């Protein structure tokens, strides 16, 4: 039976994008279905009844939710071009940083974007410093070593959204402060599979500007 792979996502979601990257890195053919989150489809509600969020991967009719779990599923199902290393310690480390990204870094940037203020900015910069330090300890091009791995895919949103956030908020977050992170952003963005799937910077600025204006409306 031919494999059937569908991906429910939106054009701008960083969580959806990491799945697109993983599927492309592994050369998996899939059908992309863009959701309107203000009017969620029956397919999305049926496939992810708990969280009702994208991304959802549907493999031969079976849905998998939560992007980090989808990445693990993809890696175990299609083993070419692995995104997780074999070694248990290295594997745990990749998972640690991917989880740090989702649990700490993303909420801290949202809190700056939504509320602003010096304390929140400092908390975000501290988190970015921790990421910078991990790159230093690792001493490689990527969080995954010589090739991109789970943590790179999780941090991937930084490579285009940080510029969008900077454009919208007027804050300078990365430049000059985090040389290793800046180098990683460049290396990561230069990978053809990554570069070819970026949403347009200008369209993202329009989207996030509207969101920012809404958050900050008096
Ligand atoms: N932890 C989830 C987060 C996914 C998520 O936040 N998706 C957003 C879009 S970026 C969503 O579907 N939001 C719809 C909603 O909250 O109703 C994951 O990693 O998949």
């Amino acid at each position: 039976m031919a494999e059937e792979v569908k991906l429910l996502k939106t054009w701008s979601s960083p969580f959806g994008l990491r799945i697109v990257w993983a599927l492309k890195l592994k050369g998996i053919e899939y059908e992309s279905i863009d959701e309107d989150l203000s009017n969620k489809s029956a397919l999305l509600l049926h496939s992810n009844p708990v969280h009702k969020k994208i991304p959802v991967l549907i493999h031969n009719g079976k849905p998998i939710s939560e992007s980090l779990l989808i990445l693990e599923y993809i890696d175990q199902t299609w083993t070419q071009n692995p995104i997780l290393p074999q070694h248990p310690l290295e594997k745990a480390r990749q998972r640690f940083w991917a989880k740090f990204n989702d649990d700490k870094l993303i909420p801290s940037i949202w809190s700056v974007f939504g509320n602003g203020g010096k304390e929140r900015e400092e908390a975000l910069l501290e988190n970015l410093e921790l990421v910078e330090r991990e790159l230093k300890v690792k001493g490689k091009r990527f969080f995954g070593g010589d090739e991109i791995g789970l943590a790179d895919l999780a941090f991937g949103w930084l490579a285009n959204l940080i510029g969008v956030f900077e454009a919208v908020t007027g804050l300078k977050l990365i430049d000059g402060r985090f040389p290793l992170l800046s180098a990683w952003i460049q290396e990561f963005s230069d990978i053809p599979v990554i570069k070819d799937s970026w949403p347009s910077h200008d369209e993202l600025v329009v989207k996030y500007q509207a969101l920012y204006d809404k958050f900050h409306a008096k």
Side-chain angles (χ1 to χ4, degrees):
M1 188 184 83
E3 299 230 64
E4 190 190 59
V5 182
K6 295 182 181 175
L7 175 61
L8 309 189
K9 63 174 196 56
T10 63
W11 69 273
S12 60
S13 166
F15 299 101
L17 201 50
R18 50 176 76 155
I19 311 303
V20 169
W21 290 331
L23 290 169
K24 290 195 172 173
L25 282 167
K26 286 184 178 270
I28 309 302
E29 297 278 330
Y30 68 98
E31 181 189 348
S32 179
I33 303 174
D34 267 27
E35 279 287 328
D36 170 2
L37 293 179
S38 63
N39 181 22
K40 294 174 184 169
S41 72
L43 181 61
L44 173 59
L45 297 176
H46 175 75
S47 306
N48 188 358
V50 175
H51 298 299
K52 305 177 178 66
K53 290 185 178 191
I54 57 93
V56 179
L57 186 80
I58 309 179
H59 184 203
N60 294 333
K62 302 275 192 287
I64 306 110
S65 308
E66 286 298 309
S67 60
L68 293 182
L69 304 182
I70 299 173
L71 290 177
E72 299 244 2
Y73 177 85
I74 289 173
D75 206 34
Q76 286 173 37
T77 304
W78 297 283
T79 50
Q80 65 275 27
N81 302 334
I83 54 181
L84 271 169
Q86 286 298 316
H87 196 282
L89 187 61
E90 281 303 310
K91 202 182 284 191
R93 198 153 155 179
Q94 290 277 312
R95 289 178 173 142
F96 175 89
W97 285 106
K99 190 163 157 46
F100 172 84
N101 175 72
D102 284 19
D103 294 351
K104 295 273 185 200
L105 187 58
I106 290 186
S108 68
I109 198 159
W110 266 122
S111 130
V112 170
F113 191 81
N115 303 296
K118 272 276 154 274
E119 258 177 47
R120 292 190 185 90
E121 273 172 43
E122 269 158 29
L124 169 61
L125 292 174
E126 267 172 38
N127 283 337
L128 288 169
E129 181 59 43
L130 292 169
V131 178
E132 173 85 1
R133 210 182 300 162
E134 170 60 10
L135 279 170
K136 190 168 182 189
V137 171
K138 187 100 199 171
K140 298 273 171 103
R141 287 165 72 203
F142 298 113
F143 294 93
D146 295 322
E147 304 295 336
I148 68 176
L150 185 81
D152 296 278
L153 295 174
F155 283 129
W157 65 274
L158 275 168
N160 77 334
L161 272 189
I162 207 88
V164 172
F165 279 40
E166 288 184 341
V168 172
T169 62
L171 296 170
K172 281 272 160 257
L173 296 170
I174 299 265
D175 266 2
R177 277 196 180 100
F178 304 113
L180 298 179
L181 194 51
S182 301
W184 172 84
I185 286 177
Q186 198 53 55
E187 292 265 15
F188 185 78
S189 313
D190 282 348
I191 297 170
V193 159
I194 306 293
K195 198 164 40 188
D196 294 349
S197 7
W198 286 136
S200 130
H201 173 86
D202 292 349
E203 284 174 32
L204 285 170
V205 169
V206 170
K207 178 194 156 83
Y208 280 95
Q209 185 68 57
L211 212 54
Y212 187 80
D213 293 344
K214 195 167 135 192
F215 286 157
H216 295 269
K218 291 257 152 58

